[in-house]
C-alpha cells in the first residue's frame, strides 16, 4: 500500500463546476499536510497547507480528517487556469520524511 | 531573486556514463532536497541536506551521491548511469520546520540510453 494515495483521475469538468479531490495517508503519526499544484512539465508549487481546523483560500478549501486519515481539496467555480495536477503531500515527524502522492490530474474545459 | 535554479535542463547519457546535476538557491535556505519524479509514482526523495557540509539519504538513494560544500549549492552525482535512472529530477529548498514551504527548481530531464 502506498503511504499517500490519490485518485489519479483525470477529472474532466466544465468551467464553473465544483470539483473535490481526496487523499488518504497511512502513517497516523504524520504531522503536516499540504496540497501542491504542478502544471504540465513544470515544477510543483505550494497551493495551500492543510491544518486540523481546515482552511480556505478564495475558491479553494482544504480539510483534514485525522481520525480517518484523509485530506480533501475542494475547488469551487473552476477556471480554465485551474487545469493542472494536484499533489497531496504528507510530512512525518523530524521534518524530512516528505511523501508526495502521485497526483490527480484536472482538466477544466470551456 | 532567481529562487531555485537547476543545470542542465536536459541531458542524454549512455549507460555507464557519469554526470553531476547542479542546484543553486538564493533564498539562504538551510534545507535542500533532491527528488526524482516518475510517471504514476509521485516525487521520491533521493538525498537531502540540513545545512552546509551535511547530507543524508532519502527514500531512493542507491546509485546517487550528493555534496553540499556551499550553503547555496547542492550537487547530485550519478557515477554510472543506468536506464532505470531515466527520470525528471527536481531540487528543492526550504527553511527548517514542519510547515515550511518547499521551493522547487524547474527540473532536469535525464534520459539514459
Amino acid at each position: 500500500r502506498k503511504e499517500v494515495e490519490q485518485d489519479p483521475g483525470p477529472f474532466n469538468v466544465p468551467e464553473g463546476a465544483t470539483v473535490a479531490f481526496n487523499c488518504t495517508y497511512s502513517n497516523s503519526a504524520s504531522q503536516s499536510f499540504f496540497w501542491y499544484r504542478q502544471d504540465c512539465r513544470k515544477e510543483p508549487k505550494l497551493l495551500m497547507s492543510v491544518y486540523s481546523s481546515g482552511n480556505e483560500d478564495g475558491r479553494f478549501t482544504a480539510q483534514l480528517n485525522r481520525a480517518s486519515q484523509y485530506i480533501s481539496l475542494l475547488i469551487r467555480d473552476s477556471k480554465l487556469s485551474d487545469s493542472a495536477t494536484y499533489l497531496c503531500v504528507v510530512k512525518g515527524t523530524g521534518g524530512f520524511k516528505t511523501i508526495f502522492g502521485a497526483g490527480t490530474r484536472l482538466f477544466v474545459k470551456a | 531573486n532567481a529562487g531555485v535554479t537547476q543545470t542542465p535542463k536536459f541531458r542524454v547519457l549512455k549507460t555507464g556514463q557519469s554526470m553531476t546535476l547542479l542546484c543553486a538557491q538564493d533564498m539562504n535556505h538551510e534545507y535542500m532536497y533532491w527528488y526524482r519524479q516518475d510517471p504514476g509514482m509521485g516525487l521520491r526523495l533521493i538525498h537531502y541536506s540540513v545545512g552546509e557540509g551535511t547530507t543524508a539519504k532519502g527514500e531512493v538513494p542507491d546509485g546517487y551521491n550528493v555534496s553540499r560544500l556551499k550553503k547555496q549549492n547542492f550537487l547530485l552525482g550519478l557515477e554510472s548511469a543506468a536506464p532505470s535512472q531515466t527520470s525528471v529530477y527536481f531540487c528543492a529548498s526550504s527553511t527548517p520546520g514542519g510547515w515550511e514551504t518547499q521551493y522547487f527548481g524547474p527540473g532536469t530531464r535525464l534520459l539514459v540510453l
Side-chain angles (χ1 to χ4, degrees):
Chain A
R1 180 187 174 191
K2 293 182 180 178
E3 290 190 64
V4 175
E5 295 203 64
Q6 297 182 247
D7 183 339
F11 284 54
N12 293 286
V13 302
E15 275 188 293
T18 295
V19 61
F21 304 138
N22 289 325
C23 166
T24 58
Y25 62 95
S26 61
N27 187 348
S28 60
S30 299
Q31 296 290 311
S32 314
F33 309 89
F34 311 85
W35 284 101
Y36 276 69
R37 169 193 168 127
Q38 186 173 24
D39 292 312
C40 188
R41 301 178 74 84
K42 298 288 188 180
E43 71 273 21
K45 293 183 179 179
L46 179 69
L47 178 65
M48 57 199 312
S49 303
V50 188
Y51 305 114
S52 295
S53 56
N55 50 309
E56 185 174 318
D57 183 3
R59 299 181 293 108
F60 298 83
T61 300
Q63 292 190 317
L64 168 64
N65 185 319
R66 283 188 181 271
S68 299
Q69 295 180 206
Y70 81 78
I71 307 151
S72 64
L73 177 66
L74 185 73
I75 305 176
R76 292 180 298 277
D77 189 22
S78 298
K79 311 291 185 189
L80 294 176
S81 57
D82 293 335
S83 296
T85 297
Y86 291 84
L87 307 175
C88 175
V89 182
V90 175
K91 182 174 287 187
T93 56
F96 312 119
K97 186 174 171 61
T98 304
I99 306 298
F100 284 76
T104 297
R105 190 75 173 91
L106 172 66
F107 292 97
V108 181
K109 300 184 176 182
Chain B
N1 287 349
V4 181
T5 58
Q6 292 183 232
T7 54
K9 287 184 170 52
F10 179 71
R11 184 77 182 268
V12 178
L13 287 180
K14 293 181 179 178
T15 297
Q17 287 185 318
S18 63
M19 76 166 295
T20 300
L21 284 69
L22 172 63
C23 174
Q25 53 96 3
D26 61 3
M27 297 174 282
N28 202 33
H29 285 166
E30 288 293 330
Y31 293 1
M32 296 187 75
Y33 316 80
W34 274 108
Y35 293 92
R36 59 178 289 173
Q37 186 173 35
D38 302 293
M41 299 192 70
L43 283 89
R44 292 180 292 168
L45 184 63
I46 304 171
H47 286 278
Y48 63 94
S49 168
V50 300
E52 182 178 315
T54 71
T55 63
K57 294 180 180 180
E59 182 185 356
V60 288
D62 294 341
Y64 306 95
N65 56 75
V66 289
S67 64
R68 186 130 179 241
L69 300 179
K70 294 182 179 180
K71 185 177 183 179
Q72 64 268 33
N73 295 337
F74 196 26
L75 278 63
L76 178 71
L78 286 72
E79 293 183 344
S80 179
S84 60
Q85 295 179 303
T86 293
S87 188
V88 180
Y89 291 86
F90 286 102
C91 175
S93 71
S94 73
T95 54
W99 289 95
E100 79 288 358
T101 301
Q102 290 191 23
Y103 295 88
F104 285 82
T108 294
R109 296 182 179 278
L110 175 65
L111 175 61
V112 183
L113 301 176

